[in-house]
Amino acid sequence: MAASPKKAFPLRLDPLLYAAIERAAAGDLRSINAQVECLLREALARRGVKLDDPVATKRGRPPKADPG
């Protein structure tokens, strides 16, 4: 399995803040990690920090190999 291109780091949050992010993530059908990333991107955009679009991960089953 290839290593993830994302940077991992520990993050300590106030339990009430974590609970609020967890509720928002559930409402948006996202993981908490994806919700935090989304919120950070939105905050940076409001401050005028330009970022490249996130790299979309391929989902689902790979196509079947051609038997011929």
Side-chain angles (χ1 to χ4, degrees):
M1 186 170 165
S4 173
K6 294 190 176 199
K7 177 73 176 164
F9 69 98
L11 178 64
R12 292 177 196 86
L13 296 174
D14 178 89
L16 293 176
L17 177 60
Y18 184 88
I21 294 170
E22 189 173 32
R23 286 191 305 274
D28 291 344
L29 301 176
R30 290 189 178 116
S31 68
I32 294 171
N33 188 71
Q35 186 72 14
V36 168
E37 188 172 342
C38 183
L39 291 170
L40 288 171
R41 286 180 177 279
E42 289 174 0
L44 288 171
R46 281 195 306 271
R47 288 180 167 232
V49 177
K50 296 183 183 210
L51 295 171
D52 293 337
D53 289 333
V55 176
T57 57
K58 292 184 179 181
R59 301 186 77 142
R61 191 176 291 182
K64 291 184 178 181
D66 196 15

